[in-house]
Amino acid sequence: GAVVSQHPSWVICKSGTSVKIECRSLDFQATTMFWYRQFPKQSLMLMATSNEGSKATYEQGVEKDKFLINHASLTLSTLTVTSAHPEDSSFYICSARELFRGYTFGSGTRLTVV
Amino acid sequence: ILNVEQSPQSLHVQEGDSTNFTCSFPSSNFYALHWYRWETAKSPEALFVMTLNGDEKKKGRISATLNTKEGYSYLYIKGSQPEDSATYLCALRSYDKVIFGPGTSLSVIP
């Protein structure tokens, strides 16, 4: 079946540094990649949608200069949290969609900014 | 704007008990409703995709129904087992995005 590899699975970084999270579709071409964020005891909140080769579409309230999304190929999308602050600490998860098929999730990244 | 709610927030049942939980939504203007099972430290696993009012899907001991007219979907687990312990997410898919409910956390006590 379709597999999405996401890493790192957890990361601790210092305030002010940037962190890159990668999602790779291992056995299919992800025409669309979704990035979600989850706060404790809350829903997965959609941050942005990216299509290969084009700019990401960000949801209202998500700073595109802070959360840089790159979807340069059909198998790789990255989310970079720039100048991270403690309030950016959260669980980030990607989901990839293959054309005419369903959605496959990565396993998520727990980010802690200290 | 789609707003997906799930109840209860958490549930503890004894092994062997059957259980069910609800996903509710205010609008039938969506393409599909998805149920996912999410175990800690793993990827959410797709359980069902339902599109039509009255849809019923079954996978082993787990089944789901969809009522688009009244805006709800039920997920049933028959004879719960400890390995069923997980968070169950429902999500509505519109044309260009998937909106998730907050999930129901199920703990099955041996």
Side-chain angles (χ1 to χ4, degrees), chain A residues 34 36 38 41-44 46 49 59 91 93 97 103 105-107, chain B residues 9 34 36 38 41-44 89 93 95-98 100-102:
Chain A
F34 303 89
Y36 294 87
Q38 185 184 38
K41 298 185 180 180
Q42 293 189 27
S43 305
L44 291 173
L46 180 64
T49 303
E59 295 299 300
F91 183 80
I93 191 167
R97 186 176 78 180
Y103 300 80
F105 282 89
S107 54
Chain B
Q9 184 178 41
H34 298 246
Y36 289 89
W38 194 6
K42 295 185 178 179
S43 305
L89 297 172
R93 177 162 59 92
Y95 171 70
D96 58 350
K97 61 184 68 173
V98 179
F100 283 85

Side-chain angles (χ1 to χ4, degrees), chain B residues 15-35:
Chain B
E15 181 176 353
D17 287 350
S18 294
T19 186
N20 67 85
F21 21 94
T22 306
C23 173
S24 58
F25 43 90
S27 168
S28 62
N29 187 22
F30 59 92
Y31 281 3
L33 183 139
H34 298 246
W35 279 101

Side-chain angles (χ1 to χ4, degrees), chain B residues 46-103:
Chain B
L47 290 175
F48 304 114
V49 181
M50 294 182 289
T51 55
L52 300 175
N53 183 45
D55 259 356
E56 291 187 28
K57 296 284 178 83
K58 190 172 188 295
K59 188 176 183 179
R61 294 178 291 100
I62 305 177
S63 59
T65 60
L66 176 63
N67 185 324
T68 59
K69 292 183 179 178
E70 296 185 31
Y72 66 82
S73 174
Y74 290 147
L75 187 80
Y76 301 90
I77 302 179
K78 184 177 177 182
S80 303
Q81 299 297 309
E83 58 265 29
D84 296 329
S85 297
T87 295
Y88 291 82
L89 297 172
C90 78
L92 288 191
R93 177 162 59 92
S94 63
Y95 171 70
D96 58 350
K97 61 184 68 173
V98 179
I99 306 297
F100 283 85

Side-chain angles (χ1 to χ4, degrees), chain A:
Chain A
V3 176
V4 172
S5 172
Q6 180 174 347
H7 56 90
S9 54
W10 60 270
V11 57
I12 301 173
C13 71
K14 289 186 178 179
S15 188
T17 62
S18 295
V19 174
K20 181 186 281 189
I21 302 169
E22 288 190 354
C23 271
R24 291 182 184 271
S25 55
L26 298 186
D27 49 3
F28 68 99
Q29 294 183 326
T31 52
T32 306
M33 195 77 82
F34 303 89
W35 287 95
Y36 294 87
R37 178 177 183 177
Q38 185 184 38
F39 292 104
K41 298 185 180 180
Q42 293 189 27
S43 305
L44 291 173
M45 302 298 295
L46 180 64
M47 297 175 68
T49 303
S50 72
N51 292 294
E52 183 264 339
S54 60
K55 289 185 179 179
T57 302
Y58 289 81
E59 295 299 300
Q60 192 173 10
V62 179
E63 298 176 59
K64 62 181 180 181
D65 294 331
K66 181 162 188 66
F67 298 100
L68 300 180
I69 290 171
N70 184 285
H71 192 167
S73 78
L74 283 171
T75 59
L76 174 64
S77 177
T78 61
L79 167 67
T80 302
V81 183
T82 62
S83 187
H85 291 283
E87 58 266 30
D88 299 324
S89 298
S90 191
F91 183 80
Y92 296 87
I93 191 167
C94 66
S95 172
R97 186 176 78 180
E98 185 182 11
L99 197 61
F100 303 125
R101 294 185 64 175
Y103 300 80
T104 304
F105 282 89
S107 54
T109 298
R110 173 73 58 193
L111 170 64
T112 302
V113 185
V114 298

